[in-house]
Amino acid sequence: MAQLLDGAGKLGWVLLKSVIRFLFMLCNNCVAIPSYCLYLLLLQPLRIWDSPTFWYIEGVMFKWMLAMVSSWGWIAGYTVTEWGDDVRPISEEEAMVIVNHQSTGDVCTLMMCLQDKGMALQKMMWLMDHVFKYTNFGLVSLIHGDFFIRQGKAYRDKQLVYLKDHLEKYYHNRDRKWIVLFPEGGFLRKRRETSQLFAKKHSLPHLNHVTLPRLGATQVILKTLCAQQENGSVGSETGTLNKTGNKRKGLQWVVDVTIAYPKARPMDIQTWIFGYRPPTITHVHYRMYPIKEVPVEAEALTDWLYQRFVEKEELLNHFYAKGSFPPQDGQKEVASRPMILDPVWLCFVQSIAFASGYAWYSVLQYLYCCLF
């Protein structure tokens, strides 16, 4: 009986905590998203007069929005430990980020672990499944200039054309530096069986923790954002001018990100919202490749991408067997570093959000009273 009462008490506390968290996040969205939109509406004259400054301000607010999402996981005890290369020194350079995709929580994890990577987040473009367009954050992503891609053979070719047009129209115009994509084209649990059948048919490696990546979006990004050389690799300058009138260097790096969850249990967005899972450390491994090492022609790029995901499989096999990623080449000992968010900073961002929400409510209420 005592155990039953104890279990009921714990369940009651989890439910109460989930309700409180949900109400807080509902309020958070209700004040932050409208404020973001209204600030940008107010700044439209600046967009015409000084577009780079407008998009810089938008990027700062976008990063703050992602910091709010990060805080939802942080206060529930969901933290990140980082392994491999330190990507902070290249946060001001242009990079393409390729990530394995297990669940909706992958996006939240990236929002958290990239908070301390300089200006990467505020100058980042995301490639996401089109369903994210219809979430609470969809409007913000649309304004920011992210690209929503539809999956499936019926849409594939047209989506790649749309992606190329989108990059040419928005990437340089809004001074983006990093672009994030999930080359697998879907969640692991949905694509694993199909990927394994394809691998068996074409004598490719059998993968359990990742799936074989798709080429399309990666190749479009490389061909659009890099200058192609005669040998099939990519060059160091695109010929596109930046806001100072100098040539942009174009993509300089590919950052290969591997996300691992304890016991191979991915976290989804519902977990971040309701916080019903005990405190959890998500592990993120980085490996950087100079863009000159990346081929752009279809066959060579396919082989290169497949090799990256075979390496991801090996990394995840090692992690799930031993609880850590293996040391990098040339290193005898493995080193990890906790990604730490400043609670004072998170409180500041949340305070700005709620203060802005109250201020805009007061302004709109005043205007309504004056007009009616």
Side-chain angles (χ1 to χ4, degrees):
M1 185 65 178
Q3 288 182 337
L4 183 62
L5 290 174
D6 184 57
K10 289 181 179 178
L11 178 60
W13 167 242
V14 170
L15 291 175
L16 177 61
K17 184 174 67 173
S18 297
V19 171
I20 293 173
R21 284 177 59 87
F22 176 77
L23 292 175
F24 170 75
M25 291 169 201
L26 181 63
C27 294
N28 210 174
N29 280 301
C30 288
V31 297
I33 295 176
S35 296
Y36 168 88
C37 297
L38 289 168
Y39 277 130
L40 293 181
L41 184 62
L42 184 67
L43 290 172
Q44 285 304 303
L46 179 63
R47 182 179 179 179
I48 299 171
W49 179 52
D50 188 356
S51 181
T53 301
F54 173 86
W55 289 113
Y56 175 84
I57 295 171
E58 184 278 334
V60 171
M61 291 194 292
F62 183 79
K63 182 178 180 179
W64 289 6
M65 297 285 287
L66 302 192
M68 294 176 208
V69 177
S70 303
S71 70
W72 301 348
W74 187 261
I75 59 179
Y78 304 147
T79 56
V80 172
T81 293
E82 299 179 314
W83 306 73
D85 294 331
D86 185 358
V87 300
R88 286 173 293 185
I90 67 164
S91 63
E92 302 294 328
E93 300 181 44
E94 294 190 38
M96 178 177 69
V97 184
I98 57 174
V99 192
N100 61 312
H101 208 9
Q102 301 179 62
S103 71
T104 50
D106 298 339
V107 175
C108 301
T109 297
L110 288 174
M111 289 179 180
M112 176 182 285
C113 66
L114 294 176
Q115 282 291 327
D116 67 343
K117 305 303 185 291
M119 297 179 68
L121 264 184
Q122 68 191 64
K123 293 194 173 186
M124 178 176 286
M125 179 180 285
W126 297 73
L127 267 64
M128 297 179 284
D129 191 281
H130 79 287
V131 296
F132 282 96
K133 186 189 298 185
Y134 307 105
T135 65
N136 60 317
F137 213 71
L139 178 60
V140 174
S141 292
L142 278 172
I143 295 172
H144 183 67
D146 297 329
F147 184 77
F148 299 93
I149 191 165
R150 292 183 67 93
Q151 305 295 339
K153 292 182 180 179
Y155 306 102
R156 193 169 299 162
D157 292 339
K158 284 187 177 180
Q159 289 298 299
L160 295 179
V161 174
Y162 295 154
L163 173 59
K164 184 177 185 299
D165 291 342
H166 185 87
L167 292 173
E168 291 174 344
K169 186 175 182 180
Y170 297 116
Y171 186 83
H172 295 306
N173 180 264
R174 300 185 180 183
D175 196 28
R176 300 297 176 237
K177 292 292 183 69
W178 283 31
I179 184 165
V180 179
L181 73 155
F182 301 92
E184 291 164 292
F187 297 141
L188 173 63
R189 68 179 185 275
K190 293 183 177 180
R191 289 210 62 242
R192 177 158 41 200
E193 184 177 352
T194 303
S195 174
Q196 289 174 346
L197 289 172
F198 180 86
K200 184 177 181 180
K201 181 179 179 180
H202 296 276
S203 301
L204 295 169
H206 182 85
L207 306 174
N208 289 310
H209 303 303
V210 296
T211 64
L212 291 171
R214 291 170 175 168
L215 175 67
T218 305
Q219 188 178 37
V220 168
I221 291 169
L222 289 173
K223 285 191 171 183
T224 306
L225 303 182
C226 297
Q228 189 175 352
Q229 296 179 333
E230 293 181 0
N231 61 3
S233 63
V234 292
S236 58
E237 289 189 347
T238 63
T240 304
L241 299 181
N242 61 19
K243 61 185 179 182
T244 62
N246 298 319
K247 283 188 177 181
R248 293 178 65 115
K249 292 183 177 180
L251 292 178
Q252 298 294 297
W253 301 91
V254 172
V255 180
D256 186 3
V257 177
T258 303
I259 300 176
Y261 297 96
K263 300 180 181 179
R265 290 180 57 212
M267 295 179 65
D268 51 29
I269 187 64
Q270 295 94 318
T271 307
W272 276 68
I273 292 173
F274 294 105
Y276 46 76
R277 185 182 291 191
T280 303
I281 300 176
T282 301
H283 298 262
V284 179
H285 184 278
Y286 304 96
R287 186 168 181 183
M288 302 187 305
Y289 296 90
I291 200 67
K292 291 182 179 180
E293 296 180 6
V294 184
V296 75
E297 294 306 319
E299 185 176 351
L301 180 58
T302 299
D303 292 340
W304 188 88
L305 270 180
Y306 282 176
Q307 184 58 41
R308 301 291 74 75
F309 277 78
V310 168
E311 290 174 0
K312 286 179 181 289
E313 178 78 9
E314 294 170 353
L315 287 171
L316 291 169
N317 280 332
H318 190 282
F319 179 85
Y320 294 135
K322 299 186 178 181
S324 65
F325 286 110
Q328 294 182 278
D329 295 340
Q331 296 182 348
K332 294 182 178 180
E333 295 184 1
V334 63
S336 63
R337 52 194 179 275
M339 188 275 157
I340 299 176
L341 287 174
D342 184 356
V344 176
W345 160 248
L346 295 179
C347 288
F348 169 77
V349 171
Q350 291 287 6
S351 299
I352 291 293
F354 282 98
S356 295
Y358 176 76
W360 280 113
Y361 172 78
S362 300
V363 169
L364 294 175
Q365 185 183 44
Y366 174 78
L367 292 176
Y368 179 83
C369 293
C370 289
L371 293 174
F372 303 101

